[in-house]
Amino acid sequence: MNSYDHDAFRAAYDKVLAKWPADRESVTVPTPFGPAHVNACGPRDAPPLVLLPGGGGATSASWYAQAARLGLDRRVLAVDLVGAAGLSGTRGGPAPRTVDDLIGWLDAVLDGLGVREVSLGGHSYGAWIALHYALRRAPGRVRRLFLLDPTQCFAGYKAAYLLHALPMLLRPTARGVSAFLAWETGGAALDPDWLRLQEAAAGFPAAKPVTGPRPSPQRLRGLAVPVLLFVAANSRTHDTHRVTTSAGELLPRGETVVLPDVSHHALPPAAPCELGRHLTEFLS
């Protein structure tokens, strides 16, 4: 049985969104796959920074901690992923089926925002999309790239992670989401408003996400733009050592920062101060 409640989801979304800076505004832009919802803040004439959330119940609203800091001198543009939990949607139109579809979707988002060249970042599945986009559009459209504990980019999932995630994926419920997050984060204290949003997203009528293999070593070695990789030290999603080692070997202009005492699914709200400091320096 689908336990999704649209009104509860929207109320939880708006409560997390209230944590954004006071100048936040909502922007909707057209794409071939339906309207894309963007939460924006910061000076309109400042360098643009596009942020993509993870999959599952993650939404652009979850970037509030980074928006508060980076929005001081950047135009922060956080996008709800097409067909995923959030306020973007296919609205009866086609859903993306391939990586090329996702690239076309993000092209349309940037075009609709009037952005020619960006610094681009993403968390988890959003980082996977951001990396594929940079591999196809940089240099030219992507100036700098940051990846926050990306999945399926430099290492695969741990088997234990997939086993714990499977019940939640097969029958998403608020209780299942909460139990899964408690396991992956090691019982860490999480923002209760953010946690409620993850629970409210259970059963969201999302399209099947586009998946695929990790980028080839040859393509990664050819990525010409600077890349800042953040890895969650306590992540149960993948082997952090394998991620850092692989990225170090493959990215010609890559820098890796290990974030201590944080897990994959506690990000981005629970990101330690190191993230903001390193990201600010990287973007500058």
Side-chain angles (χ1 to χ4, degrees):
M1 179 181 296
N2 192 329
S3 59
Y4 175 69
D5 182 329
H6 172 78
D7 291 339
F9 172 80
R10 186 57 192 263
Y13 185 101
D14 288 345
K15 194 164 187 178
V16 173
L17 204 56
K19 301 174 186 290
W20 274 60
D23 67 340
R24 184 206 64 82
E25 59 181 309
S26 296
V27 181
T28 301
V29 297
T31 82
F33 302 98
H37 178 84
V38 183
N39 289 305
C41 70
R44 291 175 180 270
D45 58 351
L49 170 63
V50 171
L51 302 175
L52 303 179
T59 70
S60 65
S62 300
W63 288 105
Y64 59 84
Q66 290 68 44
R69 178 165 185 167
L70 298 172
L72 296 175
D73 56 5
R74 299 274 158 182
R75 181 62 171 170
V76 176
L77 302 160
V79 189
D80 280 335
L81 297 180
V82 58
L87 304 185
S88 294
T90 57
R91 306 280 177 87
R97 297 179 182 276
T98 66
V99 172
D100 285 341
D101 286 344
L102 289 176
I103 302 306
W105 169 77
L106 192 48
D107 274 337
V109 171
L110 298 184
D111 290 342
L113 293 170
V115 173
R116 294 181 60 86
E117 186 180 40
V118 298
S119 293
L120 177 64
H123 169 234
S124 190
Y125 177 60
W128 182 83
I129 297 174
L131 178 58
H132 277 283
Y133 188 82
L135 288 170
R136 287 164 172 77
R137 294 292 188 261
R141 193 133 213 194
V142 178
R143 179 174 175 269
R144 289 175 179 268
L145 175 69
F146 87 87
L147 308 171
L148 180 57
D149 212 43
T151 51
Q152 289 293 93
C153 292
F154 305 103
Y157 292 108
K158 286 184 175 180
Y161 177 83
L162 295 176
L163 287 172
H164 278 84
L166 187 60
M168 181 186 65
L169 296 174
L170 292 177
R171 190 181 181 187
T173 64
R175 180 177 296 181
V177 169
S178 181
F180 174 73
L181 292 176
W183 170 79
E184 200 281 325
T185 62
L190 301 172
D191 179 339
D193 295 329
W194 175 84
L195 179 58
R196 175 60 188 140
L197 177 56
Q198 309 312 300
E199 295 171 343
F204 188 96
K208 182 180 179 180
V210 176
T211 58
R214 298 195 295 275
S216 70
Q218 292 79 10
R219 298 200 72 173
L220 290 171
R221 291 190 179 102
L223 186 57
V225 298
V227 181
L228 178 58
L229 168 66
F230 292 102
V231 181
N234 295 348
S235 176
R236 293 187 174 186
T237 305
H238 42 217
D239 186 315
T240 57
H241 176 71
R242 181 175 295 179
V243 171
T244 56
T245 300
S246 177
E249 293 174 348
L250 296 173
L251 295 175
R253 302 182 64 187
E255 174 189 355
T256 299
V257 176
V258 177
L259 299 173
D261 305 319
V262 69
S263 72
H264 179 82
H265 283 286
L267 298 169
C273 60
E274 288 92 333
L275 186 147
R277 178 170 56 83
H278 282 285
L279 189 51
T280 299
E281 294 174 356
F282 175 73
L283 295 175
S284 300

